[in-house]
Amino acid sequence: DRALFHIDASTGKVTLTGALDAEEAMNHSFAVIARDQGPGARASRLNVTLRVLDVDDNLALFVDQDSVVLQNPTYTWSVAENAPLGTTFSGVRVLDRDVS
């Protein structure tokens, strides 16, 4: 997580320095330690957890029954014209890598 954030020692501002991806990690945790400048320096610790909110940044993909992505999928189905209402004649599977 160190490569993702920078904490300015003077201001305490936390800055994003790397790309976040909710599909890779939905949470990042790190500790912030503050030390005073007096003799016998004392320190306080703050544990931080950053929750990454997912955005719809991945396409939904058509996949086969083993979840292998189909390249340029085309489906052709045939159904008798006298098939009763409610007849199931096929189905498709879709994979969406977005977590939300």
Side-chain angles (χ1 to χ4, degrees):
D1 288 348
R2 286 181 167 239
L4 294 176
F5 310 103
H6 170 74
I7 302 173
D8 185 292
S10 298
T11 65
K13 288 184 180 179
V14 181
T15 305
L16 186 64
T17 58
L20 299 175
D21 187 350
E23 287 76 37
E24 295 293 323
M26 293 186 70
N27 295 295
H28 297 276
S29 298
F30 55 93
V32 178
I33 299 172
R35 289 187 179 85
D36 65 24
Q37 299 296 318
R42 299 183 61 151
S44 292
R45 177 187 175 107
L46 171 70
N47 294 316
V48 177
T49 299
L50 175 74
R51 184 171 50 117
V52 179
L53 302 176
D54 190 31
V55 295
D56 190 9
D57 58 343
N58 294 292
L59 293 172
L61 302 169
F62 290 98
V63 295
D64 66 12
Q65 45 283 31
D66 297 319
S67 295
V68 174
V69 174
L70 301 173
Q71 301 299 320
N72 302 314
T74 301
Y75 294 90
T76 302
W77 297 312
S78 299
V79 179
E81 66 180 334
N82 63 348
L85 295 178
T87 297
T88 301
F89 56 89
S90 192
V92 296
R93 291 178 46 110
V94 177
L95 172 67
D96 185 355
R97 288 190 167 88
D98 289 306
V99 294
S100 60

